[in-house]
Structure formats: structure tokens, C-alpha cells
Amino acid sequence: MIEDMIKMTKAGIVCKVSDKIVNLDPKSATPNSVNFVSHAHWDHLPSYDTGLVLTSMETKEIASLRGRKISNYVEHHDDFRLYDSGHILGARAALFHDIFYTGDICTRDRGFLKGATIPKCHTLITECTFGKPEFVFPKIDEILKKVNELISELYHKGKPVILMGYQLGKAQTISNLFGHWEPLYYHDSVKEMNLLHNRLGIPLKEAMGHSEAESKNLLDKKPWIMVCPLMSENNPFIKQMKSKYDAITIGFSGWAKSNIPFGRKSDYTFPLSDHCDYQELLDLVKKTGAEKIYTIHGFVDEFASDLVKLGYDAQPLVENTLDEFL
């Protein structure tokens, strides 16, 4: 059975299909196998790439900017069909031997990012970061309306506004959605990532980095908007922006929708996520028509249990050792 060939190991997800080894988002890309890397977030990038890596050109370029070289890579493989997973630029899901691996996935359009296309499959390996019913996110238009109204209110009071999201992914979405505000600045790390997105064909508005803006005393001329990585209220940079410029922080994260304490507190938070919410995960499962479902990353037990109650053959993919394949 296909499902007996899929294992979670300390090195990542390993599949043995037709006497071939496929590693899904492995910690190290190994020889004599195909190593699929879904996207360029740190927890999905291999530390070493001694084997063939199947990934997108965008993921390769972003990984390089982040200090992870992927040298032995291909964008196409006869045994695989890759789908845009809608998570971040270059993110891909993979269909191979009737197994569909989502990586991190989002079926919702957000700015320049389009929602994932979901194929039919026999076996589904899906993330479930937000795999509990409390995680149902508002429509993007509703978030845009509320945030723009808040920025307008703060601008009227002369308050600078810092929009915060993960440096890779969320920050580019925020830059795209709120780039119409002036003057606009980027945290230096966000500017670097945005410039790469521009080179890769994503038309993000060009803006000055915070170091240059501060050196020219431009931040003294309030109000302004700045897009920053998601930072704690105790981060020295945020403390300085608040004490020196009286800036207000707005954080964007799917965790803002839950009762779970959101570790990086902001003055305001909005539930904007690069993952599927609970209902979208259920819709994803239904669209695949999968006969067997494995849950990974997130509320794996809870989501698998809910799927079983709905009549699916589902279970968390738990860790085993690679030796069972050898």
C-alpha cells in the first residue's frame, strides 16, 4: 500500500515509491534520491544539498539571499507535477505517484499571491497549521477596509505606523496591499527581500530603507508608514521607533484569530495568514478526493480526528526511523 511507504523521520518526510526515495522538505538533501523543497522559509530549507533538489527558481534565489545555496537543483522532473501552493513567492506543492504533498499551502488570493490549485490524488499529506475550528479568517477585503481605516485615523493624529509581518512572505503581501500610503519606508531587511521580489517579476513599490530614511531625518517628518519584520514589543528597534517617533505597531498573523497568547504583541493585530484556515483545509481535503490523509505541522491530532469524524481515513504522520526503508 502507498501509505506504508510514507514515513516521518528526524530528517523529514521520506517516501519510497517504485523503488525510488523521495525526501519532502528534508533537513539535508541526500544522494540517490529526489529531494523536494517546497519553499524558502527556514524550516523547509535543507542545510546541505549533496543530492538532487527539485524546487522552483524563485525558491533557489530566495534561499541564496538567505545564505542557503541550492546548487544541484532542477525545476522539473518526469515523476512530479508541481503546483503553486499560494504560500509565498516560489512556494510549490508536489504531486507524484498519486501522492499530493502540500508543503505550506494557502487557497486564498492575497495581493499578488494567487490561491493554490488542488489536484485529485490517492494519498494526501497536508499541513494543518490552523487545523482547529477557531481559525476561520475574515475575507481579505474586510481586513483591508479595517486596516486602511485605522491607518487613516492614526495619520489624522500625526502618528507613524509600523506594519509588521514575517520578513519573507507576509512583509511582501503587506507591501503590496498597503503600498499606496505615503511616505512609505521599509525596514532594511524587508527592502532587501522586496528588491529580490522585484527582480523576480513581482511589482512591489520601491521605497527607502529605514537606515537611509533615518540618516536623512525623514522619520522626523510624521506621519509615515514602514513595513517591518514581525518583532516583539521588547525588540530594541521597536522600542526606539516608539520612544523617538511615537510609532504605532500593527501586526499581521493568523494567530491573532485565536485565544493562544500571541507572543509578539503589537498595538493592533489582524488575522492575515499565508496558510489555509480550518474551513479551507476541509475544502482542500474534499477537493483532492484522497482515500488516505496524513496530517503534518500544526494541530495534527485535532485535525486528523475531525477528518475521521467526517468519514475520512486520516491520521497524523508520526516520526519513524529511516532504517525501516533499508
Side-chain angles (χ1 to χ4, degrees):
M1 296 292 289
I2 285 179
E3 50 262 36
D4 293 332
M5 303 177 184
I6 301 173
K7 303 292 182 183
M8 177 70 80
T9 76
K10 291 181 179 179
I13 301 169
V14 183
C15 306
K16 186 176 182 182
V17 287
S18 302
D19 296 322
K20 298 177 182 178
I21 297 294
V22 176
N23 299 313
L24 302 174
D25 283 329
K27 297 187 184 305
S28 295
T30 59
N32 304 315
S33 60
V34 176
N35 304 278
F36 172 66
V37 175
S38 63
H39 66 287
H41 278 146
W42 286 118
D43 57 334
H44 291 259
L45 288 175
S47 299
Y48 305 99
D49 63 337
T50 55
L52 181 68
V53 173
L54 174 62
T55 194
S56 69
M57 176 274 294
E58 293 90 346
T59 294
K60 171 184 172 293
E61 292 297 321
I62 295 170
S64 179
L65 178 64
R66 310 192 96 194
R68 293 281 179 87
K69 300 290 184 182
I70 299 177
S71 52
N72 185 24
Y73 99 105
V74 294
E75 289 190 85
H76 306 283
H77 191 286
D78 289 343
D79 294 333
F80 291 76
R81 183 171 180 181
L82 302 188
Y83 294 81
D84 190 332
S85 72
H87 179 58
I88 64 171
L89 180 64
R92 299 289 184 266
L95 178 67
F96 60 101
H97 300 277
D98 219 11
I99 302 169
F100 182 55
Y101 170 66
T102 65
D104 286 349
I105 193 164
C106 185
T107 54
R108 198 178 334 106
D109 291 350
R110 302 166 332 281
F112 65 87
L113 292 166
K114 301 303 178 184
T117 300
I118 308 301
K120 296 291 184 181
C121 65
H122 173 277
T123 301
L124 171 65
I125 307 172
T126 182
E127 64 116 327
C128 50
T129 301
F130 295 110
K132 291 182 73 174
E134 66 195 75
F135 294 105
V136 176
F137 303 134
K139 301 295 184 185
I140 188 69
D141 288 346
E142 180 183 339
I143 294 173
L144 285 173
K145 182 176 184 294
K146 288 183 177 180
V147 175
N148 280 318
E149 287 176 350
L150 176 57
I151 293 173
S152 179
E153 177 185 336
L154 293 170
Y155 257 42
H156 184 69
K157 297 176 181 178
K159 299 280 190 180
V161 179
I162 298 177
L163 306 176
M164 300 195 300
Y166 296 125
Q167 184 240 359
L168 169 58
K170 197 73 60 58
Q172 288 69 52
T173 300
I174 295 168
S175 299
N176 179 257
L177 294 177
F178 303 105
H180 57 281
W181 288 95
E182 291 283 358
L184 174 70
Y185 303 112
Y186 296 136
H187 186 276
D188 291 347
S189 64
V190 170
K191 179 179 180 178
E192 182 182 42
M193 188 61 71
N194 284 12
L195 286 174
L196 176 57
H197 277 61
N198 285 337
R199 291 197 294 273
L200 294 173
I202 304 303
L204 298 178
K205 185 175 179 179
E206 292 191 16
M208 196 178 295
H210 79 270
S211 294
E212 183 180 358
E214 193 159 27
S215 70
K216 294 180 177 180
N217 299 317
L218 295 176
L219 300 187
D220 292 324
K221 302 174 183 178
K222 301 182 286 185
W224 41 258
I225 291 284
M226 186 184 296
V227 181
C228 289
L230 196 59
M231 300 178 184
S232 163
E233 61 182 346
N234 294 319
N235 182 280
F237 177 81
I238 296 299
K239 282 187 171 182
Q240 180 194 15
M241 290 295 108
K242 282 181 163 291
S243 63
K244 189 172 182 179
Y245 303 109
D246 199 23
I248 301 298
T249 56
I250 302 176
F252 296 87
S253 171
W255 298 109
K257 187 66 174 63
S258 76
N259 295 322
I260 296 173
F262 185 44
R264 299 178 174 126
K265 292 181 181 178
S266 306
D267 295 315
Y268 300 89
T269 57
F270 289 89
L272 180 65
S273 178
D274 293 327
H275 296 262
C276 286
D277 69 12
Y278 180 79
Q279 188 58 54
E280 290 162 344
L281 286 170
L282 292 178
D283 292 342
L284 182 158
V285 170
K286 183 177 180 180
K287 285 179 181 177
T288 65
E291 296 179 24
K292 180 67 181 182
I293 302 154
Y294 290 105
T295 57
I296 57 171
H297 301 311
F299 295 104
V300 294
D301 296 310
E302 294 88 342
F303 190 59
S305 176
D306 285 355
L307 290 177
V308 169
K309 291 174 184 175
L310 292 171
Y312 292 100
D313 181 1
Q315 68 185 76
L317 189 59
V318 295
E319 185 177 307
N320 285 278
T321 63
L322 184 59
D323 291 343
E324 296 179 31
F325 281 140
L326 303 179

mmCIF file with all atom_site columns, all heavy atoms in Angstrom, residues 31 90 210 220 268:
data_model
loop_
_atom_site.group_PDB
_atom_site.id
_atom_site.type_symbol
_atom_site.label_atom_id
_atom_site.label_alt_id
_atom_site.label_comp_id
_atom_site.label_asym_id
_atom_site.label_entity_id
_atom_site.label_seq_id
_atom_site.pdbx_PDB_ins_code
_atom_site.Cartn_x
_atom_site.Cartn_y
_atom_site.Cartn_z
_atom_site.occupancy
_atom_site.B_iso_or_equiv
_atom_site.pdbx_formal_charge
_atom_site.auth_seq_id
_atom_site.auth_comp_id
_atom_site.auth_asym_id
_atom_site.auth_atom_id
_atom_site.pdbx_PDB_model_num
ATOM 1  N N   . PRO A 1 31  ? 22.024 12.102 -1.531 1.00 0.00 ? 31  PRO A N   1
ATOM 2  C CA  . PRO A 1 31  ? 22.227 11.493 -2.853 1.00 0.00 ? 31  PRO A CA  1
ATOM 3  C C   . PRO A 1 31  ? 21.273 10.315 -3.079 1.00 0.00 ? 31  PRO A C   1
ATOM 4  O O   . PRO A 1 31  ? 20.625 9.834  -2.149 1.00 0.00 ? 31  PRO A O   1
ATOM 5  C CB  . PRO A 1 31  ? 23.675 11.014 -2.798 1.00 0.00 ? 31  PRO A CB  1
ATOM 6  C CG  . PRO A 1 31  ? 24.289 11.689 -1.622 1.00 0.00 ? 31  PRO A CG  1
ATOM 7  C CD  . PRO A 1 31  ? 23.190 11.941 -0.651 1.00 0.00 ? 31  PRO A CD  1
ATOM 8  N N   . GLY A 1 90  ? 7.242  31.544 -5.079 1.00 0.00 ? 90  GLY A N   1
ATOM 9  C CA  . GLY A 1 90  ? 8.033  30.354 -5.380 1.00 0.00 ? 90  GLY A CA  1
ATOM 10 C C   . GLY A 1 90  ? 7.598  29.100 -4.671 1.00 0.00 ? 90  GLY A C   1
ATOM 11 O O   . GLY A 1 90  ? 8.130  28.018 -4.951 1.00 0.00 ? 90  GLY A O   1
ATOM 12 N N   . HIS A 1 210 ? 14.993 51.907 6.161  1.00 0.00 ? 210 HIS A N   1
ATOM 13 C CA  . HIS A 1 210 ? 14.870 52.722 7.372  1.00 0.00 ? 210 HIS A CA  1
ATOM 14 C C   . HIS A 1 210 ? 16.189 53.413 7.756  1.00 0.00 ? 210 HIS A C   1
ATOM 15 O O   . HIS A 1 210 ? 16.178 54.528 8.276  1.00 0.00 ? 210 HIS A O   1
ATOM 16 C CB  . HIS A 1 210 ? 14.352 51.872 8.538  1.00 0.00 ? 210 HIS A CB  1
ATOM 17 C CG  . HIS A 1 210 ? 15.384 51.012 9.201  1.00 0.00 ? 210 HIS A CG  1
ATOM 18 N ND1 . HIS A 1 210 ? 15.665 49.722 8.800  1.00 0.00 ? 210 HIS A ND1 1
ATOM 19 C CD2 . HIS A 1 210 ? 16.210 51.255 10.265 1.00 0.00 ? 210 HIS A CD2 1
ATOM 20 C CE1 . HIS A 1 210 ? 16.604 49.209 9.572  1.00 0.00 ? 210 HIS A CE1 1
ATOM 21 N NE2 . HIS A 1 210 ? 16.953 50.113 10.464 1.00 0.00 ? 210 HIS A NE2 1
ATOM 22 N N   . ASP A 1 220 ? 11.572 62.076 11.063 1.00 0.00 ? 220 ASP A N   1
ATOM 23 C CA  . ASP A 1 220 ? 11.099 63.169 11.926 1.00 0.00 ? 220 ASP A CA  1
ATOM 24 C C   . ASP A 1 220 ? 9.857  63.844 11.347 1.00 0.00 ? 220 ASP A C   1
ATOM 25 O O   . ASP A 1 220 ? 9.117  64.521 12.062 1.00 0.00 ? 220 ASP A O   1
ATOM 26 C CB  . ASP A 1 220 ? 12.202 64.220 12.106 1.00 0.00 ? 220 ASP A CB  1
ATOM 27 C CG  . ASP A 1 220 ? 13.374 63.678 12.921 1.00 0.00 ? 220 ASP A CG  1
ATOM 28 O OD1 . ASP A 1 220 ? 13.128 62.890 13.850 1.00 0.00 ? 220 ASP A OD1 1
ATOM 29 O OD2 . ASP A 1 220 ? 14.522 64.034 12.604 1.00 0.00 ? 220 ASP A OD2 1
ATOM 30 N N   . TYR A 1 268 ? -1.974 46.842 17.634 1.00 0.00 ? 268 TYR A N   1
ATOM 31 C CA  . TYR A 1 268 ? -3.143 46.271 16.971 1.00 0.00 ? 268 TYR A CA  1
ATOM 32 C C   . TYR A 1 268 ? -2.697 45.013 16.224 1.00 0.00 ? 268 TYR A C   1
ATOM 33 O O   . TYR A 1 268 ? -1.557 44.947 15.743 1.00 0.00 ? 268 TYR A O   1
ATOM 34 C CB  . TYR A 1 268 ? -3.757 47.259 15.966 1.00 0.00 ? 268 TYR A CB  1
ATOM 35 C CG  . TYR A 1 268 ? -4.223 48.559 16.572 1.00 0.00 ? 268 TYR A CG  1
ATOM 36 C CD1 . TYR A 1 268 ? -3.348 49.649 16.676 1.00 0.00 ? 268 TYR A CD1 1
ATOM 37 C CD2 . TYR A 1 268 ? -5.535 48.723 17.021 1.00 0.00 ? 268 TYR A CD2 1
ATOM 38 C CE1 . TYR A 1 268 ? -3.761 50.859 17.225 1.00 0.00 ? 268 TYR A CE1 1
ATOM 39 C CE2 . TYR A 1 268 ? -5.962 49.925 17.580 1.00 0.00 ? 268 TYR A CE2 1
ATOM 40 C CZ  . TYR A 1 268 ? -5.073 50.986 17.671 1.00 0.00 ? 268 TYR A CZ  1
ATOM 41 O OH  . TYR A 1 268 ? -5.495 52.170 18.207 1.00 0.00 ? 268 TYR A OH  1
#
